[in-house]
Amino acid sequence: LQRSMAEKTANLVRQLNACFESNGVPTRVETCASWFYFSIPSDQPHLSLLYYHLREKGVHIQEGFPCFLTTAHSDADLAAVVRAFQEIAEVSKAWRRTGG
């Protein structure tokens, strides 16, 4: 069970980091077992708006605190989380391209 949760979390983190990288978002998600944490650089304070936009899309993450997965999180839940991040990152990329 623990190995499965760690693998599920690692897969989620890989997808989120790939989303950030492909859209030029200067942040990373770190993981340890079923826990994960958003590492927002101190020189990028506007990135904390990420939490607001995620809540708007139904993904509730408390800023500054670690997150974790449980057996209650389905594959559909995780797909919805990845989709929300992708939508936000794409909008952010377009906004930066036009000069905001």
Side-chain angles (χ1 to χ4, degrees), residues 24-71:
V25 178
T27 191
R28 299 227 9 111
V29 183
E30 307 297 335
T31 185
C32 180
S34 63
W35 291 75
F36 58 103
Y37 183 79
F38 294 86
S39 177
I40 295 180
S42 60
D43 65 340
Q44 301 289 326
H46 65 282
L47 282 179
S48 67
L49 290 172
L50 170 73
Y51 299 101
Y52 168 79
H53 291 293
L54 286 170
R55 279 190 293 279
E56 189 175 57
K57 294 188 174 296
V59 178
H60 299 274
I61 296 175
Q62 191 172 3
E63 185 174 357
F65 289 87
C67 307
F68 59 92
L69 295 184
T70 69
T71 56

